[in-house]
Amino acid sequence: MDQDFVRHFLHEKRYLVQVLLIVMILIGIVFIILWQLRTLVQNIRNGMIFSGRNSKQMKRIAYMIIFLSITIRPLKTYFLYSVGKMVSLDILLTQVEWIHSIQYQLFGIDWSLLLSGALLWIFSKIFSYGAFLQEEYDATV
């Protein structure tokens, strides 16, 4: 590495902080989803299948997945932009003859995550109705 590269990398510390913040946000969202999923699996393992608590947890997971589907692409793009600025990647890549410019896609939706979140939300509604029917059955017997 030459001296200019090291000087530029040390000068652009704000991008490093932004990258770390983005990574912490994504890890936090995934951690919350996994924690809710773990609790849901424990409830099902304990025999509480159709309960309002499971329905609420599935709904929380669905909302987090839907939020993640909307924000993952801009966060990934900004992550790549920040890393590129830290290491001067845009300058290095445009010096190559067959790369003329670099474009970043800031807005976009991850459709597979959105569909997964919507399906999980529908399942949470089914579990909510199942919990209602279970309570009615328990009250009748």
Side-chain angles (χ1 to χ4, degrees):
M1 289 193 259
D2 63 343
Q3 196 71 351
D4 291 334
F5 176 76
V6 173
R7 193 174 308 121
H8 179 74
F9 182 75
L10 293 175
H11 183 284
E12 299 296 331
K13 289 180 186 175
R14 68 176 182 180
Y15 292 115
L16 181 63
V17 172
Q18 292 170 352
V19 165
L20 291 176
L21 183 64
I22 290 170
V23 169
M24 286 176 44
I25 289 171
L26 289 176
I27 288 174
I29 291 171
V30 170
F31 178 73
I32 291 171
I33 290 172
L34 290 176
W35 180 64
Q36 291 289 325
L37 188 62
R38 180 179 164 259
T39 307
L40 178 68
V41 169
Q42 283 179 347
N43 288 342
I44 291 174
R45 195 179 290 169
N46 291 334
M48 294 183 350
I49 297 173
F50 291 108
S51 68
R53 186 175 178 190
N54 287 348
S55 169
K56 288 179 184 176
Q57 286 179 333
M58 288 176 76
K59 197 179 294 185
R60 284 186 210 125
I61 294 170
Y63 288 146
M64 293 300 287
I65 289 175
I66 290 171
F67 176 76
L68 196 62
S69 74
I70 294 169
T71 58
I72 191 89
R73 186 131 331 142
L75 287 176
K76 284 191 313 188
T77 301
Y78 196 71
F79 175 80
L80 292 173
Y81 173 77
S82 298
V83 169
K85 285 294 184 184
M86 272 193 308
V87 296
S88 302
L89 192 61
D90 53 348
I91 296 170
L92 295 173
L93 286 177
T94 53
Q95 290 176 355
V96 178
E97 292 178 6
W98 46 275
I99 296 177
H100 299 290
S101 67
I102 300 172
Q103 296 179 351
Y104 296 100
Q105 180 185 3
L106 187 58
F107 299 107
I109 296 175
D110 191 347
W111 293 101
S112 61
L113 279 177
L114 185 66
L115 180 63
S116 300
L119 284 174
L120 192 60
W121 184 79
I122 291 170
F123 283 137
S124 75
K125 290 295 186 181
I126 292 170
F127 268 66
S128 175
Y129 187 66
F132 170 74
L133 291 178
Q134 185 71 40
E135 288 176 12
E136 289 291 320
Y137 177 75
D138 291 343
T140 304
V141 174

